[in-house]
PDB file of all heavy atoms in Angstrom:
ATOM      1  N   VAL A   9     -45.142  -7.760 -24.046  1.00 98.00           N
ATOM      2  CA  VAL A   9     -44.962  -7.255 -22.679  1.00 98.00           C
ATOM      3  C   VAL A   9     -46.057  -7.809 -21.778  1.00 98.00           C
ATOM      4  O   VAL A   9     -47.243  -7.533 -22.007  1.00 98.00           O
ATOM      5  CB  VAL A   9     -44.994  -5.707 -22.645  1.00 98.00           C
ATOM      6  CG1 VAL A   9     -44.506  -5.213 -21.279  1.00 98.00           C
ATOM      7  CG2 VAL A   9     -44.181  -5.107 -23.762  1.00 98.00           C
ATOM      8  N   GLY A  10     -45.641  -8.555 -20.741  1.00 98.00           N
ATOM      9  CA  GLY A  10     -46.604  -9.199 -19.844  1.00 98.00           C
ATOM     10  C   GLY A  10     -46.634 -10.684 -20.164  1.00 98.00           C
ATOM     11  O   GLY A  10     -46.991 -11.066 -21.285  1.00 98.00           O
ATOM     12  N   ALA A  11     -46.226 -11.503 -19.184  1.00 98.00           N
ATOM     13  CA  ALA A  11     -46.130 -12.956 -19.434  1.00 98.00           C
ATOM     14  C   ALA A  11     -47.239 -13.708 -18.717  1.00 98.00           C
ATOM     15  O   ALA A  11     -47.042 -14.824 -18.247  1.00 98.00           O
ATOM     16  CB  ALA A  11     -44.757 -13.462 -18.995  1.00 98.00           C
ATOM     17  N   GLY A  12     -48.414 -13.102 -18.631  1.00 96.00           N
ATOM     18  CA  GLY A  12     -49.545 -13.750 -17.964  1.00 96.00           C
ATOM     19  C   GLY A  12     -50.286 -14.678 -18.913  1.00 96.00           C
ATOM     20  O   GLY A  12     -49.723 -15.170 -19.903  1.00 96.00           O
ATOM     21  N   VAL A  13     -51.554 -14.883 -18.613  1.00 93.00           N
ATOM     22  CA  VAL A  13     -52.401 -15.789 -19.397  1.00 93.00           C
ATOM     23  C   VAL A  13     -52.274 -15.486 -20.892  1.00 93.00           C
ATOM     24  O   VAL A  13     -52.082 -16.390 -21.713  1.00 93.00           O
ATOM     25  CB  VAL A  13     -53.879 -15.617 -18.961  1.00 93.00           C
ATOM     26  CG1 VAL A  13     -54.816 -16.411 -19.846  1.00 93.00           C
ATOM     27  CG2 VAL A  13     -54.068 -16.008 -17.504  1.00 93.00           C
ATOM     28  N   MET A  14     -52.355 -14.218 -21.253  1.00 96.00           N
ATOM     29  CA  MET A  14     -52.368 -13.856 -22.670  1.00 96.00           C
ATOM     30  C   MET A  14     -50.963 -13.694 -23.249  1.00 96.00           C
ATOM     31  O   MET A  14     -50.682 -14.201 -24.345  1.00 96.00           O
ATOM     32  CB  MET A  14     -53.156 -12.553 -22.881  1.00 96.00           C
ATOM     33  CG  MET A  14     -54.614 -12.675 -22.558  1.00 96.00           C
ATOM     34  SD  MET A  14     -55.424 -14.024 -23.435  1.00 96.00           S
ATOM     35  CE  MET A  14     -55.444 -13.381 -25.092  1.00 96.00           C
ATOM     36  N   GLY A  15     -50.110 -12.974 -22.540  1.00 98.00           N
ATOM     37  CA  GLY A  15     -48.773 -12.685 -23.073  1.00 98.00           C
ATOM     38  C   GLY A  15     -47.994 -13.950 -23.393  1.00 98.00           C
ATOM     39  O   GLY A  15     -47.342 -14.054 -24.438  1.00 98.00           O
ATOM     40  N   VAL A  32     -41.399 -10.054 -22.182  1.00 98.00           N
ATOM     41  CA  VAL A  32     -40.921  -9.206 -21.078  1.00 98.00           C
ATOM     42  C   VAL A  32     -41.927  -9.248 -19.934  1.00 98.00           C
ATOM     43  O   VAL A  32     -43.135  -9.192 -20.167  1.00 98.00           O
ATOM     44  CB  VAL A  32     -40.781  -7.740 -21.561  1.00 98.00           C
ATOM     45  CG1 VAL A  32     -40.346  -6.827 -20.412  1.00 98.00           C
ATOM     46  CG2 VAL A  32     -39.811  -7.636 -22.731  1.00 98.00           C
ATOM     47  N   ASP A  33     -41.428  -9.328 -18.706  1.00 98.00           N
ATOM     48  CA  ASP A  33     -42.299  -9.204 -17.533  1.00 98.00           C
ATOM     49  C   ASP A  33     -41.472  -8.584 -16.413  1.00 98.00           C
ATOM     50  O   ASP A  33     -40.240  -8.539 -16.492  1.00 98.00           O
ATOM     51  CB  ASP A  33     -42.864 -10.583 -17.117  1.00 98.00           C
ATOM     52  CG  ASP A  33     -44.176 -10.478 -16.336  1.00 98.00           C
ATOM     53  OD1 ASP A  33     -44.136 -10.041 -15.154  1.00 98.00           O
ATOM     54  OD2 ASP A  33     -45.236 -10.813 -16.887  1.00 98.00           O
ATOM     55  N   ILE A  34     -42.166  -8.122 -15.370  1.00 98.00           N
ATOM     56  CA  ILE A  34     -41.445  -7.615 -14.201  1.00 98.00           C
ATOM     57  C   ILE A  34     -41.154  -8.766 -13.225  1.00 98.00           C
ATOM     58  O   ILE A  34     -40.430  -8.579 -12.262  1.00 98.00           O
ATOM     59  CB  ILE A  34     -42.254  -6.504 -13.471  1.00 98.00           C
ATOM     60  CG1 ILE A  34     -43.713  -6.961 -13.288  1.00 98.00           C
ATOM     61  CG2 ILE A  34     -42.182  -5.182 -14.223  1.00 98.00           C
ATOM     62  CD1 ILE A  34     -44.543  -6.046 -12.426  1.00 98.00           C
ATOM     63  N   SER A  35     -41.728  -9.930 -13.498  1.00 98.00           N
ATOM     64  CA  SER A  35     -41.544 -11.091 -12.624  1.00 98.00           C
ATOM     65  C   SER A  35     -40.767 -12.189 -13.349  1.00 98.00           C
ATOM     66  O   SER A  35     -41.209 -12.697 -14.382  1.00 98.00           O
ATOM     67  CB  SER A  35     -42.933 -11.610 -12.197  1.00 98.00           C
ATOM     68  OG  SER A  35     -42.888 -12.985 -11.913  1.00 98.00           O
ATOM     69  N   LYS A  38     -42.755 -15.434 -13.552  1.00 98.00           N
ATOM     70  CA  LYS A  38     -43.755 -15.474 -14.638  1.00 98.00           C
ATOM     71  C   LYS A  38     -43.082 -15.840 -15.965  1.00 98.00           C
ATOM     72  O   LYS A  38     -43.638 -16.567 -16.786  1.00 98.00           O
ATOM     73  CB  LYS A  38     -44.442 -14.107 -14.778  1.00 98.00           C
ATOM     74  CG  LYS A  38     -45.492 -13.871 -13.731  1.00 98.00           C
ATOM     75  CD  LYS A  38     -46.760 -14.581 -14.154  1.00 98.00           C
ATOM     76  CE  LYS A  38     -47.853 -14.317 -13.156  1.00 98.00           C
ATOM     77  NZ  LYS A  38     -49.051 -15.097 -13.476  1.00 98.00           N
ATOM     78  N   GLU A  89     -48.415  -5.206 -26.208  1.00 98.00           N
ATOM     79  CA  GLU A  89     -48.563  -5.048 -24.756  1.00 98.00           C
ATOM     80  C   GLU A  89     -49.690  -5.940 -24.255  1.00 98.00           C
ATOM     81  O   GLU A  89     -50.787  -5.931 -24.822  1.00 98.00           O
ATOM     82  CB  GLU A  89     -48.821  -3.552 -24.469  1.00 98.00           C
ATOM     83  CG  GLU A  89     -49.281  -3.208 -23.088  1.00 98.00           C
ATOM     84  CD  GLU A  89     -50.774  -3.412 -22.910  1.00 98.00           C
ATOM     85  OE1 GLU A  89     -51.562  -2.894 -23.740  1.00 98.00           O
ATOM     86  OE2 GLU A  89     -51.145  -4.112 -21.960  1.00 98.00           O
ATOM     87  N   ALA A  90     -49.402  -6.735 -23.183  1.00 98.00           N
ATOM     88  CA  ALA A  90     -50.423  -7.618 -22.588  1.00 98.00           C
ATOM     89  C   ALA A  90     -50.288  -7.595 -21.062  1.00 98.00           C
ATOM     90  O   ALA A  90     -50.228  -8.638 -20.416  1.00 98.00           O
ATOM     91  CB  ALA A  90     -50.288  -9.031 -23.137  1.00 98.00           C
ATOM     92  N   VAL A  91     -50.193  -6.392 -20.497  1.00 98.00           N
ATOM     93  CA  VAL A  91     -50.166  -6.255 -19.031  1.00 98.00           C
ATOM     94  C   VAL A  91     -51.617  -6.111 -18.554  1.00 98.00           C
ATOM     95  O   VAL A  91     -52.526  -5.961 -19.377  1.00 98.00           O
ATOM     96  CB  VAL A  91     -49.280  -5.055 -18.576  1.00 98.00           C
ATOM     97  CG1 VAL A  91     -47.846  -5.230 -19.065  1.00 98.00           C
ATOM     98  CG2 VAL A  91     -49.841  -3.713 -19.016  1.00 98.00           C
ATOM     99  N   PRO A  92     -51.872  -6.186 -17.233  1.00 92.00           N
ATOM    100  CA  PRO A  92     -53.272  -6.144 -16.783  1.00 92.00           C
ATOM    101  C   PRO A  92     -54.059  -4.925 -17.287  1.00 92.00           C
ATOM    102  O   PRO A  92     -53.473  -3.886 -17.624  1.00 92.00           O
ATOM    103  CB  PRO A  92     -53.137  -6.126 -15.264  1.00 92.00           C
ATOM    104  CG  PRO A  92     -51.862  -6.850 -15.003  1.00 92.00           C
ATOM    105  CD  PRO A  92     -50.943  -6.439 -16.117  1.00 92.00           C
ATOM    106  N   GLU A  93     -55.374  -5.113 -17.298  1.00 87.00           N
ATOM    107  CA  GLU A  93     -56.299  -4.104 -17.866  1.00 87.00           C
ATOM    108  C   GLU A  93     -56.413  -2.902 -16.917  1.00 87.00           C
ATOM    109  O   GLU A  93     -57.422  -2.718 -16.231  1.00 87.00           O
ATOM    110  CB  GLU A  93     -57.664  -4.770 -18.089  1.00 87.00           C
ATOM    111  CG  GLU A  93     -58.630  -3.974 -18.935  1.00 87.00           C
ATOM    112  CD  GLU A  93     -58.353  -4.071 -20.423  1.00 87.00           C
ATOM    113  OE1 GLU A  93     -57.266  -4.506 -20.834  1.00 87.00           O
ATOM    114  OE2 GLU A  93     -59.245  -3.678 -21.193  1.00 87.00           O
ATOM    115  N   LEU A  97     -51.137   1.506 -15.738  1.00 97.00           N
ATOM    116  CA  LEU A  97     -50.086   0.537 -16.039  1.00 97.00           C
ATOM    117  C   LEU A  97     -49.810   0.519 -17.546  1.00 97.00           C
ATOM    118  O   LEU A  97     -48.658   0.563 -17.991  1.00 97.00           O
ATOM    119  CB  LEU A  97     -50.577  -0.835 -15.571  1.00 97.00           C
ATOM    120  CG  LEU A  97     -49.577  -1.957 -15.480  1.00 97.00           C
ATOM    121  CD1 LEU A  97     -48.402  -1.564 -14.622  1.00 97.00           C
ATOM    122  CD2 LEU A  97     -50.269  -3.176 -14.872  1.00 97.00           C
ATOM    123  N   LYS A  98     -50.867   0.509 -18.331  1.00 98.00           N
ATOM    124  CA  LYS A  98     -50.696   0.468 -19.784  1.00 98.00           C
ATOM    125  C   LYS A  98     -50.013   1.762 -20.253  1.00 98.00           C
ATOM    126  O   LYS A  98     -49.164   1.735 -21.127  1.00 98.00           O
ATOM    127  CB  LYS A  98     -52.037   0.250 -20.487  1.00 98.00           C
ATOM    128  CG  LYS A  98     -52.575  -1.175 -20.250  1.00 98.00           C
ATOM    129  CD  LYS A  98     -53.645  -1.553 -21.228  1.00 98.00           C
ATOM    130  CE  LYS A  98     -54.328  -2.872 -20.903  1.00 98.00           C
ATOM    131  NZ  LYS A  98     -53.601  -4.083 -21.285  1.00 98.00           N
ATOM    132  N   VAL A 101     -46.312   1.485 -19.700  1.00 98.00           N
ATOM    133  CA  VAL A 101     -45.684   0.577 -20.680  1.00 98.00           C
ATOM    134  C   VAL A 101     -45.603   1.256 -22.051  1.00 98.00           C
ATOM    135  O   VAL A 101     -44.570   1.209 -22.733  1.00 98.00           O
ATOM    136  CB  VAL A 101     -46.458  -0.760 -20.769  1.00 98.00           C
ATOM    137  CG1 VAL A 101     -45.989  -1.605 -21.948  1.00 98.00           C
ATOM    138  CG2 VAL A 101     -46.325  -1.544 -19.472  1.00 98.00           C
ATOM    139  N   ASN A 118     -53.109  -5.570 -26.411  1.00 97.00           N
ATOM    140  CA  ASN A 118     -54.076  -6.668 -26.365  1.00 97.00           C
ATOM    141  C   ASN A 118     -55.249  -6.334 -25.427  1.00 97.00           C
ATOM    142  O   ASN A 118     -55.957  -7.227 -24.967  1.00 97.00           O
ATOM    143  CB  ASN A 118     -53.350  -7.942 -25.891  1.00 97.00           C
ATOM    144  CG  ASN A 118     -54.237  -9.160 -25.900  1.00 97.00           C
ATOM    145  OD1 ASN A 118     -54.884  -9.450 -26.896  1.00 97.00           O
ATOM    146  ND2 ASN A 118     -54.295  -9.866 -24.780  1.00 97.00           N
ATOM    147  N   THR A 119     -55.450  -5.056 -25.168  1.00 94.00           N
ATOM    148  CA  THR A 119     -56.555  -4.668 -24.278  1.00 94.00           C
ATOM    149  C   THR A 119     -57.880  -5.289 -24.713  1.00 94.00           C
ATOM    150  O   THR A 119     -58.142  -5.436 -25.912  1.00 94.00           O
ATOM    151  CB  THR A 119     -56.715  -3.127 -24.231  1.00 94.00           C
ATOM    152  OG1 THR A 119     -57.812  -2.822 -23.368  1.00 94.00           O
ATOM    153  CG2 THR A 119     -56.985  -2.521 -25.590  1.00 94.00           C
ATOM    154  N   SER A 120     -58.727  -5.599 -23.727  1.00 86.00           N
ATOM    155  CA  SER A 120     -60.037  -6.158 -24.060  1.00 86.00           C
ATOM    156  C   SER A 120     -61.073  -5.069 -24.267  1.00 86.00           C
ATOM    157  O   SER A 120     -62.129  -5.326 -24.844  1.00 86.00           O
ATOM    158  CB  SER A 120     -60.539  -7.041 -22.920  1.00 86.00           C
ATOM    159  OG  SER A 120     -59.585  -7.982 -22.572  1.00 86.00           O
ATOM    160  N   HIS A 141     -56.322  -7.664 -30.575  1.00 97.00           N
ATOM    161  CA  HIS A 141     -57.017  -8.375 -29.499  1.00 97.00           C
ATOM    162  C   HIS A 141     -57.061  -9.868 -29.773  1.00 97.00           C
ATOM    163  O   HIS A 141     -57.805 -10.322 -30.645  1.00 97.00           O
ATOM    164  CB  HIS A 141     -58.426  -7.776 -29.357  1.00 97.00           C
ATOM    165  CG  HIS A 141     -59.208  -8.314 -28.213  1.00 97.00           C
ATOM    166  ND1 HIS A 141     -60.578  -8.349 -28.200  1.00 97.00           N
ATOM    167  CD2 HIS A 141     -58.823  -8.847 -27.032  1.00 97.00           C
ATOM    168  CE1 HIS A 141     -60.997  -8.874 -27.055  1.00 97.00           C
ATOM    169  NE2 HIS A 141     -59.944  -9.181 -26.341  1.00 97.00           N
ATOM    170  N   PHE A 142     -56.245 -10.611 -29.005  1.00 97.00           N
ATOM    171  CA  PHE A 142     -56.197 -12.078 -29.101  1.00 97.00           C
ATOM    172  C   PHE A 142     -57.203 -12.682 -28.133  1.00 97.00           C
ATOM    173  O   PHE A 142     -57.714 -12.001 -27.239  1.00 97.00           O
ATOM    174  CB  PHE A 142     -54.808 -12.583 -28.709  1.00 97.00           C
ATOM    175  CG  PHE A 142     -53.723 -12.283 -29.691  1.00 97.00           C
ATOM    176  CD1 PHE A 142     -53.043 -11.074 -29.659  1.00 97.00           C
ATOM    177  CD2 PHE A 142     -53.340 -13.226 -30.635  1.00 97.00           C
ATOM    178  CE1 PHE A 142     -52.016 -10.800 -30.554  1.00 97.00           C
ATOM    179  CE2 PHE A 142     -52.320 -12.960 -31.538  1.00 97.00           C
ATOM    180  CZ  PHE A 142     -51.658 -11.742 -31.500  1.00 97.00           C
ATOM    181  N   PHE A 143     -57.408 -13.986 -28.245  1.00 95.00           N
ATOM    182  CA  PHE A 143     -58.368 -14.686 -27.380  1.00 95.00           C
ATOM    183  C   PHE A 143     -57.686 -15.862 -26.684  1.00 95.00           C
ATOM    184  O   PHE A 143     -56.648 -16.343 -27.131  1.00 95.00           O
ATOM    185  CB  PHE A 143     -59.586 -15.124 -28.209  1.00 95.00           C
ATOM    186  CG  PHE A 143     -60.302 -13.912 -28.734  1.00 95.00           C
ATOM    187  CD1 PHE A 143     -59.887 -13.311 -29.911  1.00 95.00           C
ATOM    188  CD2 PHE A 143     -61.310 -13.323 -28.007  1.00 95.00           C
ATOM    189  CE1 PHE A 143     -60.486 -12.148 -30.368  1.00 95.00           C
ATOM    190  CE2 PHE A 143     -61.910 -12.164 -28.450  1.00 95.00           C
ATOM    191  CZ  PHE A 143     -61.495 -11.574 -29.632  1.00 95.00           C
ATOM    192  N   ASN A 144     -58.322 -16.285 -25.613  1.00 90.00           N
ATOM    193  CA  ASN A 144     -57.730 -17.252 -24.709  1.00 90.00           C
ATOM    194  C   ASN A 144     -58.381 -18.629 -24.888  1.00 90.00           C
ATOM    195  O   ASN A 144     -59.615 -18.696 -24.856  1.00 90.00           O
ATOM    196  CB  ASN A 144     -57.963 -16.719 -23.280  1.00 90.00           C
ATOM    197  CG  ASN A 144     -57.345 -17.566 -22.207  1.00 90.00           C
ATOM    198  OD1 ASN A 144     -56.491 -18.397 -22.470  1.00 90.00           O
ATOM    199  ND2 ASN A 144     -57.793 -17.353 -20.986  1.00 90.00           N
ATOM    200  N   LEU A 235     -61.595 -19.099 -16.869  1.00 93.00           N
ATOM    201  CA  LEU A 235     -60.460 -19.210 -17.792  1.00 93.00           C
ATOM    202  C   LEU A 235     -59.881 -17.818 -18.095  1.00 93.00           C
ATOM    203  O   LEU A 235     -58.664 -17.611 -18.076  1.00 93.00           O
ATOM    204  CB  LEU A 235     -60.929 -19.875 -19.100  1.00 93.00           C
ATOM    205  CG  LEU A 235     -59.877 -20.080 -20.180  1.00 93.00           C
ATOM    206  CD1 LEU A 235     -58.873 -21.149 -19.765  1.00 93.00           C
ATOM    207  CD2 LEU A 235     -60.536 -20.494 -21.495  1.00 93.00           C
ATOM    208  N   VAL A 236     -60.756 -16.871 -18.334  1.00 90.00           N
ATOM    209  CA  VAL A 236     -60.332 -15.489 -18.642  1.00 90.00           C
ATOM    210  C   VAL A 236     -59.654 -14.876 -17.420  1.00 90.00           C
ATOM    211  O   VAL A 236     -58.687 -14.118 -17.532  1.00 90.00           O
ATOM    212  CB  VAL A 236     -61.574 -14.653 -19.037  1.00 90.00           C
ATOM    213  CG1 VAL A 236     -61.285 -13.170 -19.039  1.00 90.00           C
ATOM    214  CG2 VAL A 236     -62.100 -15.081 -20.392  1.00 90.00           C
ATOM    215  N   THR A 240     -59.953  -9.920 -14.513  1.00 90.00           N
ATOM    216  CA  THR A 240     -59.979  -9.329 -15.861  1.00 90.00           C
ATOM    217  C   THR A 240     -61.418  -9.058 -16.276  1.00 90.00           C
ATOM    218  O   THR A 240     -61.759  -7.991 -16.786  1.00 90.00           O
ATOM    219  CB  THR A 240     -59.303 -10.294 -16.866  1.00 90.00           C
ATOM    220  OG1 THR A 240     -57.962 -10.499 -16.429  1.00 90.00           O
ATOM    221  CG2 THR A 240     -59.296  -9.749 -18.277  1.00 90.00           C
ATOM    222  N   ASN A 244     -63.102  -5.390 -17.059  1.00 91.00           N
ATOM    223  CA  ASN A 244     -63.792  -5.110 -18.323  1.00 91.00           C
ATOM    224  C   ASN A 244     -65.176  -4.525 -18.054  1.00 91.00           C
ATOM    225  O   ASN A 244     -65.581  -3.534 -18.675  1.00 91.00           O
ATOM    226  CB  ASN A 244     -63.974  -6.386 -19.151  1.00 91.00           C
ATOM    227  CG  ASN A 244     -62.671  -6.921 -19.685  1.00 91.00           C
ATOM    228  OD1 ASN A 244     -61.638  -6.273 -19.544  1.00 91.00           O
ATOM    229  ND2 ASN A 244     -62.699  -8.088 -20.280  1.00 91.00           N
ATOM    230  N   LYS A 274     -56.218 -19.330 -12.752  1.00 91.00           N
ATOM    231  CA  LYS A 274     -54.856 -18.898 -12.440  1.00 91.00           C
ATOM    232  C   LYS A 274     -54.563 -18.900 -10.946  1.00 91.00           C
ATOM    233  O   LYS A 274     -53.401 -18.965 -10.556  1.00 91.00           O
ATOM    234  CB  LYS A 274     -54.546 -17.544 -13.091  1.00 91.00           C
ATOM    235  CG  LYS A 274     -55.358 -16.370 -12.630  1.00 91.00           C
ATOM    236  CD  LYS A 274     -54.979 -15.119 -13.449  1.00 91.00           C
ATOM    237  CE  LYS A 274     -55.953 -13.993 -13.208  1.00 91.00           C
ATOM    238  NZ  LYS A 274     -55.690 -12.853 -14.086  1.00 91.00           N
TER     239      LYS A 274
HETATM  240  P1  LIG B   1     -52.489 -11.551 -16.311  1.00 94.95           P
HETATM  241  O1  LIG B   1     -52.781 -10.908 -15.004  1.00 94.95           O
HETATM  242  O2  LIG B   1     -52.634 -13.028 -16.451  1.00 94.95           O
HETATM  243  O3  LIG B   1     -50.968 -11.195 -16.763  1.00 94.95           O
HETATM  244  C1  LIG B   1     -50.432  -9.915 -16.751  1.00 94.95           C
HETATM  245  C2  LIG B   1     -48.905 -10.010 -16.675  1.00 94.95           C
HETATM  246  O4  LIG B   1     -48.363  -8.696 -16.799  1.00 94.95           O
HETATM  247  C3  LIG B   1     -48.387 -10.590 -15.345  1.00 94.95           C
HETATM  248  O5  LIG B   1     -47.490 -11.637 -15.621  1.00 94.95           O
HETATM  249  C4  LIG B   1     -47.672  -9.400 -14.700  1.00 94.95           C
HETATM  250  O6  LIG B   1     -46.531  -9.784 -13.924  1.00 94.95           O
HETATM  251  C5  LIG B   1     -47.254  -8.597 -15.923  1.00 94.95           C
HETATM  252  N1  LIG B   1     -46.971  -7.186 -15.670  1.00 94.95           N
HETATM  253  C6  LIG B   1     -47.575  -6.339 -14.808  1.00 94.95           C
HETATM  254  N2  LIG B   1     -47.012  -5.102 -14.895  1.00 94.95           N
HETATM  255  C7  LIG B   1     -46.045  -5.197 -15.834  1.00 94.95           C
HETATM  256  C8  LIG B   1     -45.119  -4.263 -16.376  1.00 94.95           C
HETATM  257  N3  LIG B   1     -45.082  -2.999 -15.978  1.00 94.95           N
HETATM  258  N4  LIG B   1     -44.243  -4.697 -17.318  1.00 94.95           N
HETATM  259  C9  LIG B   1     -44.263  -5.989 -17.735  1.00 94.95           C
HETATM  260  N5  LIG B   1     -45.122  -6.907 -17.265  1.00 94.95           N
HETATM  261  C10 LIG B   1     -46.002  -6.517 -16.329  1.00 94.95           C
HETATM  262  O7  LIG B   1     -53.368 -10.781 -17.386  1.00 94.95           O
HETATM  263  P2  LIG B   1     -54.014 -11.341 -18.774  1.00 94.95           P
HETATM  264  O8  LIG B   1     -55.252 -12.087 -18.481  1.00 94.95           O
HETATM  265  O9  LIG B   1     -52.926 -12.001 -19.572  1.00 94.95           O
HETATM  266  O10 LIG B   1     -54.479  -9.972 -19.464  1.00 94.95           O
HETATM  267  C11 LIG B   1     -53.544  -9.125 -20.111  1.00 94.95           C
HETATM  268  C12 LIG B   1     -54.289  -8.210 -21.056  1.00 94.95           C
HETATM  269  O11 LIG B   1     -54.953  -8.996 -22.053  1.00 94.95           O
HETATM  270  C13 LIG B   1     -55.390  -7.362 -20.392  1.00 94.95           C
HETATM  271  O12 LIG B   1     -55.441  -6.112 -21.007  1.00 94.95           O
HETATM  272  C14 LIG B   1     -56.655  -8.164 -20.663  1.00 94.95           C
HETATM  273  O13 LIG B   1     -57.806  -7.344 -20.658  1.00 94.95           O
HETATM  274  C15 LIG B   1     -56.350  -8.686 -22.063  1.00 94.95           C
HETATM  275  N6  LIG B   1     -57.055  -9.899 -22.459  1.00 94.95           N
HETATM  276  C16 LIG B   1     -57.230 -10.914 -21.575  1.00 94.95           C
HETATM  277  C17 LIG B   1     -57.898 -12.080 -21.997  1.00 94.95           C
HETATM  278  C18 LIG B   1     -58.068 -13.252 -21.058  1.00 94.95           C
HETATM  279  O14 LIG B   1     -58.803 -14.193 -21.420  1.00 94.95           O
HETATM  280  N7  LIG B   1     -57.405 -13.270 -19.899  1.00 94.95           N
HETATM  281  C19 LIG B   1     -58.387 -12.184 -23.313  1.00 94.95           C
HETATM  282  C20 LIG B   1     -58.152 -11.134 -24.208  1.00 94.95           C
HETATM  283  C21 LIG B   1     -57.502  -9.982 -23.760  1.00 94.95           C
END
Side-chain angles (χ1 to χ4, degrees):
V9 192
V13 173
M14 295 306 289
V32 177
D33 204 288
I34 47 172
S35 153
K38 282 279 182 185
E89 168 278 309
V91 301
E93 193 79 345
L97 193 54
K98 290 197 188 281
V101 169
N118 184 51
T119 179
S120 308
H141 185 207
F142 289 86
F143 296 85
N144 183 16
L235 180 70
V236 166
T240 301
N244 291 353
K274 64 184 169 186

